[in-house]
């Protein structure tokens, strides 16, 4: 399965009747990691929901591999900021969910789910219910569940936002470890360093559209101060615009 | 230790009943004609050896289960429908809200007019009694479902059937079981009343029939039987509810 690309042309989105994004142009290449940064309310989560197919396009074009996005698909898995595990399913059954939807036989999907749980460092907790896991563990299960279906694009809405600093670093490392070029990743964050460390490019949203698009050169083990200043400037400009 | 404490209040009531009837106390209330525990126990023992007692028991249980299961099915389906579809809600809710305040027992004349057999009428009354609590609790449970569960399943490739069977059904169970519990309670109230009015068999009918032939111990046997049946059926609903919602966090469980 090859990675998915997105083409966004003059896209406008509304949330609860009021416009959030207007006239956005952005291409996401197949297999890249795109970080989307912006202050709260700039429409980054709304954009992600539209990419997932959970939110209809108000006007403009939103294409995946050249075809309009209509409705949800297993190709475009969304990892939520909040706890989105089904509480009556064990960790294993949650991770196996995308495989169950695809009618993978039970023994095989359980084995694959256990493999994913081991990769996110939760071996031995397969039978736990979400209520018996910590917030950080639940988020790891969600990451495993999102990746277990081998989607062609992974959309992440501040996936590590609610975690403590150490877990956050582990999860970031995990994401770069398990990521391979057969998956496109679009992830939303308000953490500039996270965006610059994980993203191949950083799209800064603001003022209802794209405020800046920053390429991050490889290899990167530390955050380039010049790029950080540039992203912060784009963020700062929009803060001034909105206030 | 706890079991002793829990047995305390029924035993105390039994003792009080014995004392009041044994001494034919007449003070505000009259216990001189009231049968004592001994008479009732003897009558109970006698009835347990007759076929009529079991026939009444079976008849009432068949009625309540038929009415209740129908109410659970229709209440669950329609409650879900009006919560999920705005059009269905606009179409059906006004009728439901108009019909809901009418006590099911007031429908007895209508049931007699509509149904060729009193049996069907009684089941209809039981159904009508249990339907509304179940429908309303289902509607609220569907609305209270966190949207993120459904969104997650959809972005993992789940379709409509998967969302209904894999998210909605398990997700609403904790809320629906409250309605099932209440529904079972009112279903018994209305079943017994309907049986007293128009039954030919059943525990409610037998209780009232005993009263009309001045068989007071028989009345109390009927009342105790009704209490036991209600206790057992509500207990069964409760037990099923706990088994189905074991995944709830500890603080949300009863």
């Amino acid at each position: 399965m090859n990675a998915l690309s997105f083409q966004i042309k003059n896209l406008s989105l509304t949330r609860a009747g009021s416009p959030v994004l207007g006239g956005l142009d952005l291409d996401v290449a197949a297999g890249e990691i795109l970080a989307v940064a912006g202050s709260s309310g700039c429409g980054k989560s709304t954009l992600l929901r539209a990419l997932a197919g959970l939110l209809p396009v108000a006007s403009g074009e939103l294409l995946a591999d050249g075809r309009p996005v209509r409705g949800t698909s297993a190709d475009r898995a969304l990892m939520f900021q909040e706890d989105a595990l089904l509480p009556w399913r064990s960790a294993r059954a949650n991770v196996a969910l995308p495989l169950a939807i695809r009618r993978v036989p039970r023994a095989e999907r359980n084995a694959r789910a256990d493999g994913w749980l081991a990769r996110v460092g939760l071996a031995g907790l397969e039978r736990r219910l979400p209520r018996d896991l910590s917030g950080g563990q639940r988020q790891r299960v969600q990451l495993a569940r999102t990746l277990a279906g081998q989607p062609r694009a992974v959309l992440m809405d501040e996936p590590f936002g609610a975690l403590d600093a150490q877990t956050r670093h582990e999860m970031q490392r995990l994401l770069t470890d398990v990521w391979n070029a057969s998956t496109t990743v679009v992830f939303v964050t308000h953490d500039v360093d996270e965006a610059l460390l994980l993203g191949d490019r950083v799209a800064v949203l603001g003022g209802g559209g794209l405020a800046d698009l920053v390429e991050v050169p490889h290899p990167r083990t530390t955050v380039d101060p010049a790029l950080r200043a540039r992203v912060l400037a784009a963020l700062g400009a929009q803060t001034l615009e909105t206030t | 230790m706890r079991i002793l404490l829990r047995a305390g209040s029924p035993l105390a009531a039994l003792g009080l009943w014995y004392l009041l009837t044994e001494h034919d106390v007449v003070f505000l209330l009259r216990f001189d004609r009231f049968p004592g525990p001994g008479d009732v126990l003897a009558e109970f023992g006698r009835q347990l050896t007759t076929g009529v007692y079991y026939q009444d028991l079976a008849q009432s249980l068949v009625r309540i289960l038929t009415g209740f299961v129908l109410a659970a099915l229709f209440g669950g389906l329609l409650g879900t429908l009006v919560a999920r579809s705005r059009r269905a809600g606009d179409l059906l809710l006004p009728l439901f809200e108009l019909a809901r305040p009418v006590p099911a027992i007031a429908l007895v004349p209508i049931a007699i007019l509509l149904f060729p057999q009193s049996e069907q009428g009684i089941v209809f009354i039981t159904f009508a009694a249990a339907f509304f609590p179940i429908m309303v609790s289902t509607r609220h449970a569907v609305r209270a479902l966190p949207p993120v569960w459904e969104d997650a399943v959809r972005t993992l490739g789940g379709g409509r059937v998967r969302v209904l069977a894999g998210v909605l059904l398990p997700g609403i169970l904790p809320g629906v079981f409250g309605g099932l519990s209440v529904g079972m309670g009112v279903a018994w109230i209305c079943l017994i009343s309907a049986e007293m009015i128009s039954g030919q068999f059943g525990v409610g009918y037998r209780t009232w029939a005993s009263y009309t032939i001045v068989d007071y111990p028989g009345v109390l046997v009927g009342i105790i039987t009704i209490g036991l049946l209600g206790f057992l059926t509500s207990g069964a609903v409760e037990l099923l509810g706990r088994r189905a919602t074991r995944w709830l966090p500890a603080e949300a469980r009863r």
Side-chain angles (χ1 to χ4, degrees):
Chain A
M1 201 68 102
N2 52 326
L4 204 64
S5 65
F6 290 103
Q7 298 79 38
I8 302 168
K9 290 174 197 153
N10 199 21
L11 177 74
S12 298
L13 296 172
T14 58
R15 196 108 199 228
S18 53
V20 206
L21 276 176
L24 179 70
D25 289 299
L26 182 65
D27 276 0
V28 185
E32 82 164 319
I33 301 185
L34 178 77
V36 179
S39 54
S40 49
C42 72
K44 30 186 213 302
S45 296
T46 311
L47 174 64
L48 215 57
R49 288 180 70 84
L51 289 172
L54 287 169
L55 194 76
V57 168
S59 72
E61 272 187 282
L62 176 54
L63 311 173
D65 273 359
R67 280 184 295 276
V69 169
R70 278 202 200 90
T72 52
S73 152
D75 280 350
R76 291 170 268 119
L78 178 57
M79 180 177 169
F80 296 83
Q81 181 178 14
E82 66 261 52
D83 181 9
L85 298 180
L86 300 182
W88 52 86
R89 282 179 163 255
S90 65
R92 171 190 290 151
N94 262 291
V95 177
L97 185 60
L99 304 170
I101 288 171
R102 244 188 273 143
R103 300 182 193 284
V104 174
R106 179 178 295 271
E108 189 192 336
R109 69 182 188 235
N110 282 346
R112 279 163 72 180
D114 289 358
W116 277 106
L117 282 169
R119 288 179 84 174
V120 298
L122 294 179
L125 303 182
E126 294 88 356
R127 301 167 78 93
R128 291 260 184 107
L129 285 171
R131 65 153 196 253
D132 299 324
L133 296 169
S134 72
Q137 289 171 334
R138 281 202 288 265
Q139 216 49 2
R140 288 177 201 220
V141 176
Q142 213 197 143
L143 178 65
R145 183 176 74 176
T146 312
L147 298 173
Q150 289 173 300
R152 299 172 61 201
V154 175
L155 313 166
M156 306 174 112
D157 191 1
E158 305 216 18
F160 317 127
L163 304 179
D164 61 86
Q166 199 193 332
T167 320
R168 199 181 167 105
H169 283 304
E170 281 173 28
M171 295 278 283
Q172 289 169 352
R173 202 174 320 127
L174 193 69
L175 178 64
T176 40
D177 283 352
V178 298
W179 174 80
N180 52 49
S182 68
T183 307
T184 308
V185 177
V186 180
F187 83 94
V188 153
T189 181
H190 60 251
D191 181 335
V192 175
D193 287 352
E194 185 174 271
L196 288 169
L197 269 177
L198 297 180
D200 296 319
R201 290 190 300 161
V202 179
V204 183
L205 292 187
L210 192 63
D212 199 357
L213 189 59
V214 181
E215 296 251 2
V216 189
H218 283 269
R220 45 177 192 266
T221 42
T222 51
V223 174
D224 181 346
L227 288 181
R228 181 196 279 142
R230 184 172 156 195
V231 172
L232 282 172
L235 284 169
Q238 109 200 21
T239 318
L240 285 178
E241 271 172 42
T242 48
T243 46
Chain B
M1 202 52 221
R2 206 150 157 234
I3 199 121
L4 282 177
L5 192 67
R6 287 180 161 192
S9 60
L11 285 176
L14 202 64
L16 191 66
W17 177 21
Y18 173 75
L19 286 175
L20 289 170
T21 49
E22 190 63 19
H23 299 284
D24 289 340
V25 174
V26 178
F27 176 70
L28 297 176
L29 299 171
R30 308 182 42 156
F31 287 94
D32 50 341
R33 293 172 305 175
F34 204 89
D39 306 328
V40 174
L41 198 65
E43 173 65 16
F44 216 145
R46 191 193 66 73
Q47 286 201 14
L48 284 177
T49 61
T50 66
V52 178
Y53 182 78
Y54 298 102
Q55 196 182 358
D56 287 331
L57 210 66
Q59 191 78 48
S60 290
L61 277 173
V62 166
R63 286 168 177 163
I64 195 118
L65 289 180
T66 314
F68 182 76
V69 167
L70 285 175
L73 282 177
F74 281 93
L77 283 176
L78 289 172
T80 305
L81 190 68
V82 296
R84 298 270 302 183
S85 152
R86 182 191 296 219
R87 193 173 297 172
D90 286 346
L91 201 65
L92 293 173
L93 276 178
L95 176 66
F96 288 164
E97 291 308 313
L98 282 172
R100 188 150 70 107
V102 180
I105 200 64
L107 298 175
V108 166
I110 291 183
I112 292 172
L113 283 175
L114 281 178
F115 292 97
Q117 291 169 19
S118 69
E119 193 58 37
Q120 300 161 338
I122 291 175
V123 170
F124 168 74
I125 301 286
T126 315
F127 163 80
F131 173 77
F132 287 106
I134 296 172
M135 190 274 289
V136 170
S137 66
T138 306
R139 182 159 74 97
H140 286 302
V142 170
R143 286 194 170 169
L145 219 54
V148 70
W149 294 346
E150 186 179 335
D151 289 347
V153 169
R154 285 174 59 200
T155 64
L156 293 172
R160 182 184 287 259
V161 175
R162 170 65 63 171
V163 166
L164 286 177
V167 179
L168 193 105
L169 189 63
I172 62 174
L173 280 183
V176 169
F177 265 99
L180 289 176
S181 237
V182 175
M184 186 54 98
V186 283
W188 271 112
I189 295 172
C190 291
L191 172 70
I192 296 299
S193 317
E195 283 181 343
M196 285 181 164
I197 296 170
S198 72
Q200 282 157 353
F201 292 104
V203 182
Y205 165 77
R206 193 65 55 200
T207 306
W208 191 251
S210 301
Y211 174 74
T212 56
I213 57 169
V214 209
D215 172 14
Y216 297 135
V219 171
L220 280 151
V221 168
I223 286 173
I224 292 168
T225 306
I226 294 165
L228 284 174
L229 285 175
F231 174 75
L232 289 176
T233 46
S234 299
V237 171
E238 192 91 342
L239 200 71
L240 277 177
R242 276 196 208 165
R243 300 207 74 186
T245 58
R246 266 185 294 204
W247 49 269
L248 283 177
E251 63 269 21
R253 274 177 291 177
R254 281 170 297 166

